[in-house]
Amino acid sequence: MVTARELNLAEIKAIHDNCDIEIESFIHGALCYCYSGQCLLSSFQGGRSGNRGRCAQACRLPFSAKGDKNGCALSLKDLCLVPYVAELAEDGVASLKIEGRCKRPEYVAAAVTALVQARAGETPDLDTLRAVFSRSGFT
């Protein structure tokens, strides 16, 4: 089962404790401002439905309700749960999901390297991960 991105660790653990099912959770990459992938912005602006895996990431474009042309009112920071890999495993997460769509190979390599380091009990290299791509840090 792939958990929704908005679930917290206690909710994921409850699913694991009450169901005989493998759990996959998203641990690194772009957060969407919609709830459970129910987004129409990409579809309205570019005809590409985020609900069908074709999101154009229209919410990442610089626009705001106040007319500030430099503002990014909807652009969220990327999620980074790499430092919490051990806790996720303890609470039943068997598979970890890293966003790689529309990303450079350097980004994917840095994310995978940080994850491998964290799973090995080492300190993950988050500085390199921030350097290859970050929306002003991680959340």
Side-chain angles (χ1 to χ4, degrees):
M1 174 196 150
V2 179
T3 60
R5 293 181 187 191
E6 61 269 9
L7 291 181
N8 65 39
L9 192 55
E11 293 167 324
I12 293 170
K13 182 174 176 17
I15 292 168
H16 176 260
D17 291 347
N18 294 295
C19 302
D20 184 24
I21 192 167
E22 283 192 0
I23 295 175
E24 177 177 305
S25 288
F26 181 74
I27 65 150
H28 187 79
L31 283 171
C32 186
Y33 79 96
C34 68
Y35 191 81
S36 287
Q38 301 303 311
C39 174
L40 295 174
L41 184 61
S42 178
S43 148
F44 288 152
Q45 279 198 319
R48 293 174 50 188
S49 174
N51 301 333
R52 292 181 175 83
R54 299 182 59 226
C55 180
Q57 298 186 1
C59 59
R60 306 285 184 221
L61 298 174
F63 63 90
S64 81
K66 295 180 181 179
D68 175 9
K69 293 184 181 188
N70 295 318
C72 295
L74 299 176
S75 188
L76 303 170
K77 293 182 180 183
D78 281 3
L79 175 71
C80 183
L81 294 179
V82 173
Y84 303 96
V85 166
E87 288 176 59
L88 290 162
E90 287 172 18
D91 288 336
V93 176
S95 178
L96 305 171
K97 196 172 175 126
I98 299 172
E99 177 197 28
R101 183 177 50 162
C102 300
K103 298 289 193 248
R104 297 186 334 262
E106 298 84 3
Y107 173 90
V108 177
V112 170
T113 297
L115 176 59
V116 168
Q117 291 168 334
R119 290 189 71 197
E122 301 169 14
T123 302
D125 183 2
L126 299 181
D127 291 333
T128 297
L129 192 50
R130 276 186 205 92
V132 293
F133 184 86
S134 160
R135 291 179 181 89
S136 303
F138 298 129
T139 187

